[in-house]
Amino acid sequence: MESKEGTTMETSSSKFVSPRLQRIAKLAREAPGMVFTTLNPALDLALLKEAYRRTRKDGATGVDGRTAAEYSEHLEENLRSLLDRAKSGLYRAPPVRRVHIPKDKAGETRPLGIPTFEDKVLQRAVAMVLEAVFEVDFHPFSYGFRPGRSAHQLLEDLRQQMQSQWGGWVLEADIRKFFDSVDHQRFREVLARRVRDGVITRLIGKWLKAGVFESGQVSYPERGTPQGGVISPLLANIFLHEVLDEWWVRDVLPRLRRGRHLYRYADDFVAVFLDEGDARRVMEVLPKRFEKYGLTIHPDKTRLVRFKAPRKDGSGPEPGMFDLLGFTHRWQRSRKGVWVVRKVTAPNRFRRGLSRLSQWLRKARYLPIGVQRDGLVRRLHGHYGYYGLTGNSQALGRFRWAALSLWRHWLRRRSQRAPMPWDRFKRLLRHHPVPPARAVHSIYARAATR
């Protein structure tokens, strides 16, 4: 795991070392209260090249319709032009193309922003500069979109903590439409406590003000972070570091009695308490804290859950359940009869995954069977890659079975003359097998390799 002392920018295929970013990180670590006014020299051609390398090349195009392949035809020239425009103030943040993707409920969608490829490259470069400053400030209980940290790490740390203390009281909170609700002025005030470089802050301001292109028209939201922007998760971490994390450490912890922990992944978080009184006091003041920064804690989706481990004989009050990062957490007996915390796919995420898969199968039903099978397997592997945790095998198996049923359904729909009864579909699966579900992140597999 990358530590706060780490200053090396690491990617999956190689390491990128920027002496300027190293110096920034060193200063940030040694002077926690320092305000950086000269960061833009780190925004150089080498950094843009690395940002380009890290940017996905197969994503959808933005409002300019320019693909990554087209941009790379004159890469050096394009990046030099981008750098000049960014430094001189001539860069104009293009509107974000908005599309809508389905949610778990039929007919409901959620908006998705698609920036231009060039905008993604510049956002990633600026994010790398900001990361050198803020990564040393962020607390260990913040896991989202940080080097060497992941949702699975948070989930495992939470599980271990719960089992070590036999549960507790869980404050399950929800920030209403966080990414659409960030107040620009309040965010600038938070950012200025650490960063006042004119080039960097001007670029961030342009991204905050960039319009949204939808149905042939451009609108300009007065709140929110850049939709679909590469830099949005980092901006969210910077803002919530002040709104929640610093407040938790500075003002909340000293006033609590015992056993309290916070776990945050971007705008998703839970707080765990041993003392019910502590939990209720924090639950009462939490909305006021967020209102101070223009945010709203959803009253209907925020609740206190009694998550105490059952007695050995199973008697006593039934423990509650709570959702976090797509998993429902609950107490369940292990094969040895011991009560353990299990994480199973949350019902809404289960339905959402099948809804997306069904839409793809509908569009792909006229493709060759082998092509459909390969696409289905890739999507199932993607599902297992996130939800494939120890203890979630039943939900993984049910998802695979439902996926196969959907495949058969859309194969039947492509021709009324050639129905697809189950015996014929089983013969098809023998020729085009779909691998069984598996727990990719098995704690037993990890233990065997130690």
Side-chain angles (χ1 to χ4, degrees):
M1 183 181 73
E2 278 280 317
S3 68
K4 288 189 176 183
E5 289 72 22
T7 55
T8 299
M9 297 295 175
E10 184 173 345
T11 65
S12 58
S13 58
S14 67
K15 292 184 177 181
F16 170 76
V17 179
S18 167
R20 286 172 172 168
L21 293 186
Q22 286 184 316
R23 286 196 294 272
I24 291 170
K26 184 174 184 293
L27 283 172
R29 182 172 60 253
E30 294 175 350
M34 179 178 178
V35 178
F36 288 83
T37 58
T38 313
L39 288 173
N40 73 85
L43 190 63
D44 55 18
L45 187 61
L47 189 68
L48 283 180
K49 287 181 178 180
E50 176 63 15
Y52 164 81
R53 194 182 70 80
R54 296 188 187 189
T55 303
R56 281 186 56 183
K57 311 299 189 295
D58 58 349
T61 59
V63 293
D64 62 354
R66 198 177 188 184
T67 65
E70 293 170 342
Y71 194 84
S72 63
E73 289 177 0
H74 304 283
L75 182 60
E76 186 88 11
E77 179 183 342
N78 288 333
L79 292 181
R80 287 188 183 278
S81 171
L82 177 60
L83 182 61
D84 290 342
R85 285 178 282 136
K87 291 289 188 76
S88 66
L90 296 177
Y91 182 78
R92 298 182 62 184
V96 174
R97 183 167 69 89
R98 176 184 282 173
V99 297
H100 291 267
I101 59 176
K103 294 180 69 174
D104 54 304
K105 295 182 180 179
E108 290 192 14
T109 63
R110 64 185 181 92
L112 177 67
I114 304 175
T116 65
F117 181 77
E118 182 176 69
D119 205 44
K120 292 178 184 177
V121 172
L122 184 57
Q123 286 193 31
R124 187 171 297 279
V126 172
M128 291 166 70
V129 175
L130 291 177
E131 188 178 85
V133 175
F134 286 99
E135 183 59 28
V136 301
D137 293 344
F138 293 154
H139 293 288
F141 53 76
S142 169
Y143 292 79
F145 306 100
R146 295 181 58 192
R149 289 173 171 265
S150 68
H152 290 136
Q153 182 183 357
L154 183 155
L155 292 167
E156 179 60 17
D157 290 350
L158 174 60
R159 182 192 70 82
Q160 292 184 11
Q161 181 62 46
M162 283 296 198
Q163 292 203 178
S164 68
Q165 66 183 38
W166 294 103
W169 292 87
V170 176
L171 175 54
E172 182 183 1
D174 181 87
I175 308 174
R176 177 179 282 168
K177 295 183 178 180
F178 170 75
F179 286 95
D180 296 330
S181 304
V182 173
D183 184 279
H184 293 173
Q185 181 57 38
R186 287 187 173 92
F187 173 78
R188 290 189 184 94
E189 293 170 357
V190 171
L191 181 67
R193 296 174 187 175
R194 209 61 160 124
V195 173
R196 295 179 192 169
D197 178 277
V199 172
I200 300 297
T201 57
R202 182 171 61 236
L203 285 171
I204 293 174
K206 290 181 178 183
W207 286 318
L208 292 175
K209 294 178 181 177
V212 175
F213 180 81
E214 184 178 15
S215 302
Q217 294 185 337
V218 179
S219 60
Y220 296 91
E222 297 181 356
R223 287 173 169 263
T225 58
Q227 286 211 353
V230 175
I231 202 170
S232 287
L234 179 57
L235 299 186
N237 271 340
I238 292 171
F239 198 47
L240 287 174
H241 172 74
E242 174 61 30
V243 176
L244 177 62
D245 301 355
E246 282 288 277
W247 172 70
W248 173 266
V249 172
R250 182 183 62 241
D251 299 331
V252 176
L253 288 182
R255 292 175 169 81
L256 301 183
R257 297 172 184 170
R258 61 194 179 101
R260 55 280 188 272
H261 302 274
L262 181 66
Y263 298 87
R264 181 174 70 80
Y265 190 94
D267 62 323
D268 291 318
F269 69 94
V270 296
V272 180
F273 307 85
L274 281 178
D275 187 89
E276 181 183 0
D278 285 344
R280 295 197 178 279
R281 283 192 294 274
V282 173
M283 186 176 181
E284 182 180 353
V285 299
L286 191 67
K288 300 174 184 177
R289 173 65 182 181
F290 277 75
E291 286 173 9
K292 180 180 177 181
Y293 290 86
L295 299 173
T296 303
I297 295 294
H298 201 300
D300 299 327
K301 296 182 180 180
T302 299
R303 64 194 184 110
L304 193 60
V305 179
R306 184 188 182 279
F307 196 72
K308 301 263 189 176
R311 298 171 182 170
K312 291 184 178 180
D313 59 3
S315 63
E318 184 176 347
M321 299 182 292
F322 67 94
D323 288 353
L324 181 65
L325 299 179
F327 290 91
T328 297
H329 297 67
R330 66 189 186 194
W331 287 99
Q332 183 177 322
R333 286 193 187 273
S334 69
R335 293 178 181 177
K336 296 181 179 180
V338 179
W339 288 104
V340 296
V341 176
R342 292 292 194 209
K343 302 180 289 290
V344 299
T345 309
N348 63 333
R349 295 297 186 91
F350 192 96
R351 292 191 299 268
R352 184 187 301 175
L354 288 179
S355 176
R356 292 177 179 173
L357 184 59
S358 180
Q359 290 198 39
W360 179 82
L361 288 168
R362 177 178 63 83
K363 295 177 182 178
R365 66 186 185 274
Y366 295 112
L367 296 175
I369 295 297
V371 175
Q372 292 187 48
R373 180 264 182 197
D374 292 344
L376 175 60
V377 169
R378 284 196 303 273
R379 285 161 176 79
L380 286 175
H381 282 166
H383 184 85
Y384 304 153
Y386 184 75
Y387 294 101
L389 303 185
T390 300
N392 197 29
S393 58
Q394 288 188 358
L396 296 177
R398 286 191 293 108
F399 190 88
R400 180 182 180 273
W401 172 255
L404 292 177
S405 299
L406 285 172
W407 190 19
R408 173 176 173 265
H409 167 78
W410 286 113
L411 287 175
R412 294 177 65 190
R413 294 288 297 273
R414 73 175 182 172
S415 174
Q416 294 182 351
R417 297 181 180 178
M420 184 63 68
W422 275 108
D423 58 345
R424 183 182 172 193
F425 184 63
K426 290 178 181 178
R427 288 197 300 272
L428 180 149
L429 289 178
R430 285 197 291 269
H431 290 89
H432 302 278
V434 176
R438 69 187 186 94
V440 177
H441 307 279
S442 169
I443 59 175
Y444 305 112
R446 286 200 302 271
T449 59
R450 289 175 183 170

